[in-house]
Amino acid sequence: MTDRRTLLLDAAIEVLGTRGLRQLTHRTVDAVAGLPEGSASNHFRTREALISGVLGRLVDRETELWGRLGGAQPLDAERFATAAGAMITELAGPGRAVTLARYAIFHEAAFNPDLQRRIAENRERLAAWGVPLVAALGSTEPERHYRMLLDLIDGLLLNQLASPTSSFDPATTIRTLLSAITPTPTTPAPSARS
């Protein structure tokens, strides 16, 4: 992706996340990006193309965030919960524009079958990365558990954005789900003495 294209998509995310879908125009994106008028329309001929591009960029940004928070080391359930909690806290706080942009697109998708298809494709793209991660935590049904985890994360984010609380602690909630979907270590039975 070219730097200018990335700059335009990040500006579009900023518009969606701070002003809403109705304000998403090529002209507004150009202004937020600090580029000459016509730049966004040169890269994204239609509004639908711009929204589609934003969808892909959101997946990239969220994957980058997971990578940064999770680090390169293999994650155990505790480190995963801590990393997921930090990611959710960031996406509900300093990164809230990214989350709100994503929800604006999801709202639009409810009325647009093409966007629904694109969202499904992007979910599969994320699943290719996330399902093995959940499997590595010990899940016996990694695909199903990965989807449960995404649903939980979306619910936590939505509730915190709609009704913020100072006691927001998503890592504890993630730990609770992980304890239900990953095996617990068993203590070996004591040997019988004769």
Side-chain angles (χ1 to χ4, degrees):
M1 189 177 303
T2 67
D3 288 340
R4 181 170 281 218
R5 184 178 170 87
T6 301
L7 180 64
L8 288 164
L9 290 174
D10 286 342
I13 289 170
E14 184 67 23
V15 171
L16 280 171
T18 58
R19 303 180 194 183
L21 192 62
R22 287 186 176 174
Q23 298 299 313
L24 184 67
T25 65
H26 289 92
R27 184 174 295 177
T28 305
V29 170
D30 290 338
V32 169
L35 293 174
E37 197 170 303
S39 297
S41 63
N42 283 338
H43 287 274
F44 307 98
R45 288 286 181 209
T46 64
R47 189 166 187 268
E48 290 74 23
L50 181 59
I51 291 172
S52 182
V54 166
L55 199 52
R57 179 67 180 140
L58 285 169
V59 171
D60 291 341
R61 286 181 64 171
E62 289 176 353
T63 302
E64 289 167 12
L65 183 58
W66 266 106
R68 182 167 47 89
L69 293 174
Q73 80 280 2
L75 294 177
D76 59 18
E78 177 57 31
R79 284 193 297 243
F80 182 90
T82 300
M87 182 191 78
I88 294 164
T89 299
E90 183 167 327
L91 288 171
R96 67 182 276 133
V98 171
T99 307
L100 291 170
R102 185 168 161 260
Y103 288 150
I105 290 175
F106 280 18
H107 178 266
E108 181 71 11
F111 312 101
N112 183 326
D114 187 53
L115 262 182
Q116 291 171 15
R117 181 187 56 76
R118 291 293 316 266
I119 288 170
E121 289 169 0
N122 282 317
R123 281 184 186 237
E124 290 306 313
R125 180 177 158 200
L126 281 175
W129 176 85
V131 170
L133 184 63
V134 173
L137 294 173
S139 167
T140 56
E141 299 178 67
E143 187 170 327
R144 185 169 81 88
H145 292 156
Y146 167 74
R147 295 196 187 285
M148 287 171 61
L149 185 61
L150 284 186
D151 290 344
L152 177 62
I153 289 170
D154 277 338
L156 288 167
L157 280 168
L158 188 59
N159 284 314
Q160 181 64 9
L161 288 169
S163 180
T165 64
S166 59
S167 61
F168 187 54
D169 180 18
T172 298
T173 306
I174 298 293
R175 279 186 199 94
T176 302
L177 176 64
L178 290 178
S179 70
I181 66 173
T182 57
T184 56
T186 56
T187 307
S191 59
R193 293 190 174 189
S194 332

